[in-house]
Amino acid sequence: MIVFYDNPNILSLPYTLDGIQRYFDFVPGKNEIHPEVWKAISACNKERLDNHYSQFLRVFNPMLERVPPSAENELPLEIEVGKENFAFHDLTVQQALDLVQNTMAIDELHAYKDAENSQKRPRKVVLNTIDSRIAEISELDKKIKEAQ
């Protein structure tokens, strides 16, 4: 899962996992974090997250259960921010571009593309960046296979 940290300073939050006290350092921008670690951080810092850090930390989990589009839910890919859900298209263009540029899994890129295409007015720059990233990763995969 991915957590965006919108602050220029590093933030260290404590958590306990498997009975061991640890710290996770959030750096400005995109932070990749295991869902179990995020649950532990949320449990240890619930009050601080609810009252203060939620202003700076935004959780994006592309692996949330994808619900097929229906009349009630037309968004197959959701972002969890506090207690609200946002679709991929609710990211700003720059946030979407940053996310795409830092994604190495072609399946995730296709999910982002499907989510963007499901909108009435998909953003062409985001779609073009996704296509470019898919081509770039495919080319890298091809070179790796040739080298083996």
Side-chain angles (χ1 to χ4, degrees), residues 1-4 31 58-64 77-81 86-88 91 99 103 108 112:
M1 87 188 296
I2 297 166
V3 177
F4 288 100
N31 295 268
R58 293 176 293 113
V59 178
F60 177 76
N61 186 352
M63 305 319 270
L64 284 175
L77 190 65
E78 294 182 344
I79 299 167
E80 185 180 275
V81 182
F86 294 88
F88 177 80
L91 289 173
L99 181 63
T103 300
E108 285 183 36
Y112 300 158

Side-chain angles (χ1 to χ4, degrees), residues 63-70 72-78 85:
M63 305 319 270
L64 284 175
E65 182 177 325
R66 290 188 177 97
V67 179
S70 67
E72 296 124 21
N73 179 16
E74 298 178 6
L75 309 171
L77 190 65
E78 294 182 344
N85 287 326

Side-chain angles (χ1 to χ4, degrees), residues 13-66:
L13 290 180
Y15 67 98
T16 302
L17 194 61
D18 298 329
I20 301 170
Q21 177 77 32
R22 303 170 186 202
Y23 289 86
F24 188 90
D25 293 331
F26 291 96
V27 296
K30 178 184 170 192
N31 295 268
E32 292 193 31
I33 185 170
H34 192 277
E36 291 300 317
V37 173
W38 178 251
K39 284 180 187 175
I41 289 172
S42 297
C44 286
N45 300 282
K46 182 169 179 24
E47 187 175 316
R48 288 191 286 175
L49 285 171
D50 289 345
N51 295 327
H52 179 66
Y53 292 124
S54 61
Q55 299 171 37
F56 309 109
L57 293 172
R58 293 176 293 113
V59 178
F60 177 76
N61 186 352
M63 305 319 270
L64 284 175
E65 182 177 325
R66 290 188 177 97

